[in-house]
Amino acid sequence: MKTEQPQPATTADKGLNFIEQIVEKDLADGLNDGRLQTRFPPEPNGYLHIGHAKAICMDFGIAQRFGGVCNLRLDDTNPQKEDTEYVEAIKRDIRWLGFEWGKVCHASDYFDKLYDFAVSLIRQGKAYVDEQTSEQIAQQKGTPTQAGTASPFRDRPVDESLTLFEKMVKGEIEEGAMVLRAKIDMANPNMHFRDPIIYRVINKPHPQTGTKWHAYPMYDFAHGQSDYFEGVTHSICTLEFVPHRPLYDYFIDELKEGKDLSDHRPRQYEFNRLNLTYTLMSKRKLLALVQEGLVEGWDDPRMPTICGLRRRGYSPESIRGFVNMIGYTRIEALNEYGMLEAAAREDLNKRALRVSAVLDPVRLVITNYPEDRVEELEAINNPECEADGSHTVTFSRELWMERADFMEDAPKKYFRMSPGREVRLKNAYIVKCTGCVKDETGRIVQVNAEYDPDSKSGMPGADRKVKGTIHWVDAARCVKAKVRLYEPLFTVPDPSADPRDFRELLNPASVKVLEECYVEPFAVNNSTGNPYLQFQRTGYFIADPSSTTEAPLFNRTVSLKDSWKGGQK
Ligand code: ATP
Ligand code: MG
């Protein structure tokens, strides 16, 4: 298969979304010295999915649009779940989507600074080591309307906390035996202020820092500070972080105290997550599908991952087009999977090479066509793009056509192959069906037709119109291929809201393999470098990475919205 050449991303000129409006104003007001810096902060504990694509288009897109920079920040604060395989996959997927980062940063780059900050909070009496279990701590949290209960360790001497924190960090404490908590306000209506846990013990080597640390900062203690250390100006995330924002600001205020009196600071902005019908977006559940062998891997074409969509035949432009279509708001929504498909059709229609492929073949014999004759006919590569040129297809006496394009006893409005009726063979001749041949079980094994030599497509005077056009391939000069057709992976529109285990919601018919299809040779070895194909009248397809010239295998990206004009009504 040819390697794809992603087109550089450009932000569609379509008015500014609400975060772009904020950025435009901040830049005009000279905030942060008129600098714009964002970051895309995945946790390297899985592959990126279509939801991440929405965040990527925002974080990188806004930097691009306003002349700023976006860094890739690997949010690697939990060595239990993280893997360098994921880091490589994340980088590959971002680039494939058409974006480029300024720098690659890690939350772990700031472990020293975060440690110093934690120690300084302890010294100021603003943090303490709690030796309760996480269950006890959770029980004492209270409710939004009821204050929490103070830990018995809340007022322990500073020196004790310093000594214990040191032990936590050095690996002298067992996991779960103690945590470091910020001492803020156990009665705060915002539950995140009720002495949040800021460090916990994890006795596992870290991919970046090895065995240097045995206690690691929690998200709320790492994220905002990392933004600050890095010089992020606009920290854009999804709506579930709205209640975390005051804590984000609190820690930055503490960090800035006395050191930096200017207004240089990151600010957090939130937009709505992407949720898609018939799809799960939780990395934990996607990982389970992979680990339990319920899908072929992270890049299974049924997966909502970027690599799955790529293997399915989605172009980067179609994913960006989809994100653009749904837009950014502050209201949570469940988007129709059909919109993603519509975005793919819109883009692939402009991009895909048109080829002939017969997925459910039956032999078609043109009985009045000379046995030894082979004609080369012109086939336009893409009617939407003249520059894509054309290729040749061969025509001869024996062809393959779709079984569904023949009917022995057809209703009046059937404009395909039926005894006595005429139909055009795409790019070739008008033929009149003369009957069919059946085997002893009554199954049709051959359709017969006669061609009109004066009706060749493109020939002067050959513009005689017939109502239907069907596709075909030359039986002696085509390639046998396997084709995979896909249906949604889940049977219910909102699997994450379903009380049943997500494994029970898997669609047993999510993939169907057609073992014997016939495609024209150009589908297998076109030299244009364009991997996107339209099988005429059938849908958009791409060769699977495992496909070879000897054993071609195609994945259907998406069907065509409407059956072909002149085809089935
Ligand atoms: P999970 O909870 O499944 O692990 P996550 O949200 O924690 O996913 P991260 O790797 O932490 O995944 O996410 C990196 C960035 O991508 C974050 O800024 C997050 O807000 C954003 N993101 C993740 N999922 C979505 C989604 N469905 N829609 C939009 N943005 C998302
Ligand atoms: Mg996360």
Side-chain angles (χ1 to χ4, degrees):
M1 202 185 74
K2 301 282 174 321
T3 52
E4 303 101 284
Q5 290 292 320
Q7 305 294 309
T10 49
T11 19
D13 196 20
K14 191 184 156 230
L16 301 182
N17 65 48
F18 75 99
I19 295 183
E20 289 170 336
Q21 288 172 21
I22 292 168
V23 165
E24 187 178 52
K25 181 171 185 305
D26 288 351
L27 291 176
D29 291 350
L31 221 62
N32 288 299
D33 291 335
R35 269 186 340 104
L36 169 64
Q37 187 175 323
T38 59
R39 84 287 167 270
F40 172 64
E43 187 177 350
N45 62 350
Y47 281 62
L48 298 180
H49 53 58
I50 181 78
H52 292 113
K54 181 174 180 180
I56 288 170
C57 289
M58 169 60 88
D59 295 331
F60 288 92
I62 206 164
Q64 200 176 57
R65 181 164 200 157
F66 291 96
V69 65
C70 177
N71 290 334
L72 170 60
R73 158 123 46 82
L74 297 157
D75 188 10
D76 55 352
T77 52
N78 185 351
Q80 292 182 100
K81 294 192 286 178
E82 291 153 12
D83 199 308
T84 45
E85 173 201 344
Y86 300 137
V87 174
E88 291 316 308
I90 287 168
K91 290 180 180 171
R92 189 163 59 235
D93 290 347
I94 295 171
R95 288 205 163 114
W96 179 76
L97 279 172
F99 297 103
E100 189 61 55
W101 46 86
K103 302 189 283 187
V104 178
C105 310
H106 298 83
S108 57
D109 296 343
Y110 315 116
F111 281 173
D112 285 305
K113 287 184 174 173
L114 291 171
Y115 167 80
D116 291 345
F117 181 38
V119 168
S120 121
L121 289 179
I122 298 172
R123 289 221 166 93
Q124 297 172 61
K126 291 176 178 169
Y128 60 97
V129 169
D130 194 336
E131 293 175 56
Q132 299 182 100
T133 62
S134 48
E135 290 76 31
Q136 284 170 316
I137 293 174
Q139 276 163 15
Q140 294 162 359
K141 272 253 145 151
T143 66
T145 50
Q146 199 181 9
T149 313
S151 160
F153 298 96
R154 194 171 202 261
D155 294 317
R156 77 189 317 164
V158 165
D159 281 349
E160 249 179 60
S161 282
L162 282 175
T163 311
L164 289 173
F165 183 50
E166 201 56 30
K167 286 181 185 235
M168 283 172 62
V169 163
K170 289 214 169 112
E172 293 167 26
I173 303 293
E174 270 185 43
E175 283 183 22
M178 55 186 74
V179 292
L180 184 67
R181 295 177 72 178
K183 186 170 172 181
I184 311 180
D185 177 5
M186 287 306 290
N188 199 297
N190 182 332
M191 307 274 288
H192 295 286
F193 278 91
R194 296 187 185 175
D195 291 11
I197 297 173
I198 58 177
Y199 265 87
R200 81 280 206 211
V201 174
I202 301 174
N203 282 312
K204 193 163 182 250
H206 186 284
Q208 297 295 323
T209 58
T211 52
K212 178 170 179 189
W213 303 97
H214 296 266
Y216 293 90
M218 302 294 288
Y219 173 88
D220 280 324
F221 195 68
H223 201 87
Q225 289 92 302
S226 301
D227 285 343
Y228 178 73
F229 297 140
E230 237 164 73
V232 168
T233 57
H234 295 75
S235 181
I236 308 168
C237 60
T238 36
L239 282 171
E240 69 272 23
F241 292 103
V242 169
H244 295 250
R245 192 191 327 135
L247 189 58
Y248 177 104
D249 290 333
Y250 169 88
F251 284 129
I252 290 171
D253 287 337
E254 289 292 326
L255 195 58
K256 274 164 62 79
E257 209 174 25
K259 292 184 212 138
D260 178 1
L261 298 175
S262 70
D263 191 43
H264 289 195
R265 65 179 301 146
R267 290 178 174 80
Q268 179 183 302
Y269 300 94
E270 310 87 9
F271 63 84
N272 60 336
R273 276 180 93 82
L274 170 62
N275 302 297
L276 262 191
T277 54
Y278 299 98
T279 308
L280 275 180
M281 225 72 98
S282 146
K283 276 192 277 187
R284 182 178 62 77
K285 291 178 184 168
L286 296 178
L287 176 65
L289 291 177
V290 173
Q291 285 182 335
E292 294 168 28
L294 299 168
V295 294
E296 270 184 40
W298 284 101
D299 69 345
D300 187 303
R302 293 166 294 177
M303 290 282 270
T305 49
I306 307 288
C307 56
L309 291 166
R310 173 165 67 228
R311 189 166 162 198
R312 177 80 173 256
Y314 277 78
S315 60
E317 292 81 0
S318 60
I319 294 176
R320 299 200 308 254
F322 167 66
V323 169
N324 209 36
M325 202 185 263
I326 56 173
Y328 297 89
T329 71
R330 287 184 60 84
I331 302 161
E332 289 295 4
L334 180 61
N335 292 111
E336 292 289 339
Y337 192 84
M339 283 180 81
L340 178 62
E341 295 193 322
R345 286 190 191 101
E346 191 180 317
D347 180 68
L348 295 175
N349 180 45
K350 289 182 259 172
R351 183 177 303 284
L353 300 172
R354 272 58 169 176
V355 299
S356 283
V358 175
L359 302 191
D360 182 15
V362 65
R363 191 170 291 272
L364 168 63
V365 179
I366 313 298
T367 51
N368 63 339
Y369 195 86
E371 282 199 25
D372 53 358
R373 191 150 136 207
V374 180
E375 269 183 272
E376 290 203 339
L377 306 172
E378 188 187 19
I380 303 287
N381 284 341
N382 183 354
E384 303 291 322
C385 179
E386 214 176 307
D388 279 354
S390 63
H391 67 280
T392 54
V393 292
T394 56
F395 183 85
S396 67
R397 190 170 190 267
E398 296 208 6
L399 312 171
W400 292 112
M401 61 174 275
E402 298 283 355
R403 187 166 284 280
D405 283 338
F406 175 79
M407 233 175 144
E408 209 173 3
D409 264 323
K412 217 165 156 232
K413 292 220 161 166
Y414 186 79
F415 299 119
R416 291 173 282 166
M417 204 64 99
S418 187
R421 296 188 196 182
E422 280 192 320
V423 68
R424 177 171 289 282
L425 298 180
K426 177 77 183 166
N427 295 321
Y429 297 95
I430 294 175
V431 298
K432 181 185 245 175
C433 182
T434 54
C436 67
V437 180
K438 294 178 187 169
D439 66 10
E440 58 282 5
T441 66
R443 181 178 158 84
I444 294 161
V445 291
Q446 182 176 316
V447 175
N448 291 332
E450 288 178 354
Y451 86 118
D452 170 0
D454 296 328
S455 65
K456 187 165 158 181
S457 291
M459 220 164 75
D463 41 13
R464 185 157 74 84
K465 289 273 181 291
V466 287
K467 282 231 162 101
T469 301
I470 65 170
H471 63 276
W472 52 275
V473 296
D474 183 4
R477 278 155 291 268
C478 66
V479 184
K480 189 173 164 187
K482 283 190 196 179
V483 167
R484 292 193 292 215
L485 306 180
Y486 295 103
E487 295 296 329
L489 190 51
F490 293 96
T491 51
V492 295
D494 192 0
S496 57
D498 199 287
R500 286 169 290 178
D501 184 90
F502 66 95
R503 294 167 189 84
E504 290 174 41
L505 309 174
L506 283 169
N507 177 3
S510 56
V511 56
K512 181 173 165 193
V513 185
L514 307 177
E515 300 283 344
E516 191 193 340
C517 307
Y518 293 106
V519 303
E520 59 164 299
F522 186 73
V524 178
N525 55 22
N526 93 74
S527 54
T528 63
N530 179 355
Y532 302 104
L533 302 176
Q534 185 196 95
F535 289 2
Q536 296 185 80
R537 299 177 64 224
T538 313
Y540 294 99
F541 290 78
I542 195 163
D544 191 72
S546 69
S547 180
T548 61
T549 324
E550 295 70 41
L553 171 62
F554 294 94
N555 299 326
R556 183 167 73 187
T557 315
V558 60
S559 60
L560 293 182
K561 188 188 244 157
D562 307 310
S563 57
W564 216 44
K565 288 195 185 61
Q568 193 176 12
K569 285 276 144 94

